[in-house]
Amino acid sequence: MAKHKLEIKGVNIKRYVKKVLKKEKSKIFEKVNCSFGTSEKKICNLNLSILKNANNKIDGIIIILDDITEKIKLERSLEDFKKLAHLGELAAQVSHEIRNPLIAIGGYARRAERKLLSGQKVKVKNISIIVNETERLEAILDNTLHFSHSKKINFKKINIINVLKECVDIISSYAEKNEVKIDINIGKSLPRRVIINGSAQHLKQAFINLIKNSIEASYRGDIVNIFLEKGKKGKVIIKIENKGSIIESKDLEKIFLPFFSSKKTGTGLGLTVTKNIILDHNGAINVKSKEDITVFIIELPLEAVKNEEDFSNRG
Amino acid sequence: MKKILVIEDEDNIRNLYRDELIDEGYDVLTAKDAECGFNQYVKEGPDLITIDIKMEDMDGIELMHKIRKIDKKIPIILYTAYGEYSQDFSTWAADEYLVKSSDLKELKEKIKALIS
């Protein structure tokens, strides 16, 4: 191939050409930042097509720069718009959800005030309602805050086995109180360290929400089983399974929606938060509930699975 | 003593309404869902019914129309945490429509006006 001076201001074109020539294969480099020597930044798709002669030797390269700056800007505006619409929807739902506890708090507080002013006694159980409903409001707000901040995650390499073990430690006293046992079952094809790219803090919250739900749905003396298995194509599967009351099929598709709760004391945000955390980790979550078994199935992408030798050292 | 049936699925609000209306001198019956409320209505024959619109088993508007088919005259107060229902003409068959509040003054006044 003849030598030519190849220069596009503000684009390190040589780097891309080298890559294409090395592999002798045409390629599109997406969303490359370009300045073209001006202060205005551009985003381009760089299409490098190899030209070969009759002897299958490289004769040249066609470079096409496709300016996609406006398209990207529009996509980002649309994303921002969607986020705002979502936030508006959430604000409307939150204002509806807090009205019922507020009415009970205000109503019983007014009643207590009236009774005290007229020299009458106030029932402790009425004051307890104010306390309990305040706690319910706080839980709604905590979950809502988490819900709106769920995107701010610091990703690190973490061992998912340790995360699950820590979750069980945290929730063990709650399980004991409910007379439910928790077992972790680690698949034999998995090594001692199962590494994913994620936030231990966020994943703990997601798993604890699920384990807590499983404990509450279990009968006394039952076991909540946590299974860790190797999934397809570099993925790990976590199953959280309990016996006991099942989720009705009509509710299965709704349980991850905000403010859907089958529990009288639930905020209806726990599973929504859980699903968001899993999605933020590029994972997936599903639920199956039939006969007397309910199982939440979480799939997360693996960062790296150490080899079988490592597994043999698990002990 | 006038008999009021309160149909409301939120335990604490149902009990608050019951306690407050007892203090006002009414005989108060309560129901935690629409089905239970309808049965109480048939069995007890109250003088007035208050119905929450948003309930799990049946919406309060549907329950009101079910009762209206049997009894066109019984005073019914519909109330809800959702103000937008006031624009829904299907709620207009109620004698009164209220947005839930922790101040029960308005509810008490409406009840008094309807059954005194």
Side-chain angles (χ1 to χ4, degrees), chain B residues 40-54:
Chain B
Q40 286 270 65
Y41 158 73
V42 173
K43 193 178 151 202
E44 302 285 346
D47 297 296
L48 180 144
I49 311 173
T50 71
I51 310 174
D52 182 20
I53 292 184
K54 277 256 178 179

Side-chain angles (χ1 to χ4, degrees), chain A residues 96-97 99-108 110-111 114-115 123 125-126 129 132-133 136 250 260-261 264, chain B residues 8-13 15-20 23-24 56 80-84 99-104 108:
Chain A
H96 280 159
E97 286 305 312
R99 196 186 276 271
N100 279 334
L102 267 182
I103 290 165
I105 292 168
Y108 275 103
R110 283 170 202 273
R111 186 174 166 79
R114 205 179 59 238
K115 296 264 174 195
K123 288 178 183 166
K125 76 169 187 186
N126 288 356
I129 290 170
N132 294 339
E133 292 287 24
R136 185 174 154 201
K250 70 176 171 64
F260 179 82
S261 178
K264 272 275 168 192
Chain B
E8 160 71 61
D9 63 350
E10 276 275 324
D11 293 348
N12 288 333
I13 294 178
N15 294 338
L16 172 70
Y17 282 21
R18 180 199 61 203
D19 295 347
E20 287 284 292
D23 282 1
E24 292 293 305
E56 282 284 310
T80 177
Y82 306 83
E84 62 267 25
V99 175
K100 276 185 189 176
S101 162
S102 66
D103 188 351
L104 303 190
K108 289 173 189 171

